[in-house]
Amino acid sequence: MTPDTNVRKTVGLAADRQQSFYGRDIVSVRQFTRDDLNYIFTVSDEMRSLVHRVGATDLLKGHILANLFYEPSTRTFASFAAAMQRLGGSTIPIHGVQYSSVSKGESLPDTVRSLACYADVIVLRHPEVGASEVAARYSSKPVISAGDGVGEHPTQGLLDLYTIYAELGTVDELNVTMVGDLRNGRTVHSLARLLSMYRVNLTLVSPAILRLPAQLKQELVDAGLSVRETDRVENVISESDVVYVTRVQRERFEDMHEYEAVRDSYEITPELMANAKEKMALMHPLPRVNEIHYDVDDDPRAAYFRQMENGMYIRMALLAAVLGKA
Ligand code: CP
C-alpha cells in the first residue's frame, strides 16, 4: 500500500466514523466500538489543542444545545455549556427543572419534544434509569445522556477512559482498581463496560452492600475481563495502575442508617499513596466528599482535576460529531 492509499484509507475511516455519529443519540457506552472510541479520542485531542492555541472556534456557530438537568450537577452541566460555547454555539440552560413546566406536571416526552423545536441537540440528566432512551425515542434531535439514575453516565465513561490513555499512554494490560459505591455509581458502570473492550485486570473494592450489580459483573466476565472483589483498598493499591475512587451516593439510599454505616468506608491518604506505584493514576469522577484527602491533591499522580478538564474536550468532540461537524 502506498502512503497515498494509507492517507485515503485513514481519511475514509474518519469520514465513516463521523457519519456513524451524525444525528446519533448517546445513551449508553454499549453502543460504541473501539473505532468509535479512537475517533472520539482523536477529535478530543484536536479540541484540546484548539482550546490551548486559540480558546474557541465557530464550528458550531448557529447551533443550540438544550442542557436539561433534573438532578444537580457542576461538571457535566458546565462542561457541556463550555464545550458548546467554545465551538461557537449557544445553550438553553435548564438547571433545576422546578422552574420549568416540569413542575406543572409536564412529562419527559413532552418536555424533550418541546426543546427539540428550539435546539439542535439535547443533553439530559435524569434520576431514572433508562430516561435518556425514553427521551431519545420522543426527540426529533439527538439526545446525549448526562447520567440517568444508577444506570449509566456514558460521556463520563468516555472522559475517564480518555484520561487513562492521557495519563498512562495505554489501557491494555493495566490493573484497574475501582473503589467505593460500585452499586450506585453510574460512572463506574459506564467505565467498567468500556474497560471490558480491553485486556484489563479489574479489582472491585467496596463494602458488601455496595458491590457492583451481579448482572453487570457477569457482563464483564462474559466479555473476557478478569474481575476480582475485595473490601480492602490497602491490600491492592500497590499493584494498581489506576485507582478510580467514587463517592458513596447518599441520594440513592432509602435507609440513612445503611448510608451512615458505609459512608466513610474509604479514604485515600498520603500514607496510602506512599504504597502506590510511582507511575499510576488516581482518578475520581467528582464531586468528592471525603474519599480522597485534600493533602493528596498535590501528588502528581492525582489526576482528578485533569480528568475533569478532559471532560470538556470529550464533550466538544461529541457535540461536533453528533452535529456532523467533527
Ligand atoms: N462527574 C459528574 O458527573 O459530576 P457532576 O455531577 O458535577 O456533573
Side-chain angles (χ1 to χ4, degrees):
M1 195 156 45
T2 65
D4 247 350
T5 325
N6 256 329
V7 169
R8 275 198 299 278
K9 284 198 83 154
T10 309
V11 170
L13 180 66
D16 286 351
R17 285 298 118 213
Q18 178 175 331
Q19 202 55 40
S20 90
F21 274 91
Y22 179 49
R24 190 174 173 194
D25 304 302
I26 309 286
V27 295
S28 166
V29 294
R30 280 185 272 213
Q31 67 193 81
F32 298 128
T33 63
R34 283 279 292 261
D35 281 344
D36 288 336
L37 301 178
N38 292 339
Y39 172 69
I40 286 299
F41 295 165
T42 303
V43 179
S44 300
D45 285 344
E46 287 166 13
M47 295 300 181
R48 180 199 302 278
S49 155
L50 182 147
V51 170
H52 288 179
R53 276 186 292 111
V54 291
T57 172
D58 60 0
L59 194 68
L60 295 185
K61 189 171 177 208
H63 289 81
I64 297 177
L65 175 157
N67 232 352
L68 175 61
F69 278 58
Y70 288 71
E71 280 190 333
S73 167
T74 296
R75 276 145 291 276
T76 315
F77 186 87
S79 63
F80 264 113
M84 195 62 182
Q85 286 163 30
R86 285 190 185 274
L87 291 172
S90 51
T91 66
I92 302 170
I94 304 183
H95 199 182
V97 288
Q98 68 270 32
Y99 300 115
S100 74
S101 286
V102 170
S103 66
K104 301 177 203 160
E106 187 164 55
S107 66
L108 178 64
D110 280 359
T111 301
V112 295
R113 270 192 288 227
S114 305
L115 290 172
C117 295
Y118 312 133
D120 304 293
V121 56
I122 298 172
V123 172
L124 173 70
R125 172 167 290 186
H126 198 280
E128 284 167 29
V129 176
S132 304
E133 282 169 42
V134 172
R137 266 207 302 281
Y138 288 93
S139 172
S140 56
K141 304 289 170 52
V143 170
I144 302 179
S145 169
D148 51 352
V150 297
E152 275 215 38
H153 192 343
T155 66
Q156 177 77 40
L158 290 175
L159 79 89
D160 290 340
L161 190 66
Y162 180 63
T163 299
I164 296 175
Y165 267 119
E167 295 290 317
L168 301 172
T170 184
V171 175
D172 280 321
E173 313 302 343
L174 294 183
N175 294 324
V176 178
T177 298
M178 295 176 149
V179 183
D181 188 348
L182 311 185
R183 180 183 72 183
N184 299 308
R186 56 193 172 200
T187 72
V188 166
H189 303 164
S190 288
L191 179 58
R193 284 195 172 105
L194 286 173
L195 290 173
S196 73
M197 297 166 71
Y198 296 80
R199 292 187 306 279
V200 163
N201 302 309
L202 187 61
T203 301
L204 305 172
V205 183
S206 68
I209 64 161
L210 298 182
R211 292 255 158 90
L212 197 75
Q215 199 181 335
L216 175 51
K217 190 178 152 203
Q218 191 58 48
E219 190 183 317
L220 303 178
V221 171
D222 290 346
L225 209 63
S226 138
V227 183
R228 65 175 175 162
E229 291 181 304
T230 172
D231 56 5
R232 306 291 294 262
V233 67
E234 56 273 30
N235 291 352
V236 295
I237 196 165
S238 64
E239 66 204 53
S240 303
D241 300 295
V242 174
V243 176
Y244 187 93
V245 186
T246 61
R247 172 178 69 91
V248 177
Q249 310 236 320
R250 186 178 189 278
E251 65 275 27
R252 309 292 179 206
F253 283 77
E254 283 173 9
D255 178 350
M256 278 303 127
H257 294 107
E258 206 174 66
Y259 168 71
E260 293 296 334
V262 292
R263 56 176 280 184
D264 295 321
S265 297
Y266 304 104
E267 186 186 26
I268 306 296
T269 59
E271 293 72 33
L272 211 49
M273 287 298 285
N275 297 326
K277 290 183 179 183
E278 211 170 296
K279 186 175 179 201
M280 57 86 72
L282 178 63
M283 297 173 59
H284 192 307
L286 304 176
R288 77 174 138 182
V289 182
N290 45 22
E291 316 77 49
I292 299 180
H293 197 284
Y294 283 82
D295 286 350
V296 176
D297 293 357
D298 290 333
D299 187 312
R301 298 167 293 182
Y304 28 97
F305 293 113
R306 295 190 290 276
Q307 178 184 354
M308 192 186 75
E309 181 182 332
N310 289 338
M312 185 174 72
Y313 307 129
I314 284 285
R315 288 164 179 143
M316 287 173 79
L318 283 173
L319 289 172
V322 162
L323 294 170
K325 302 282 186 181

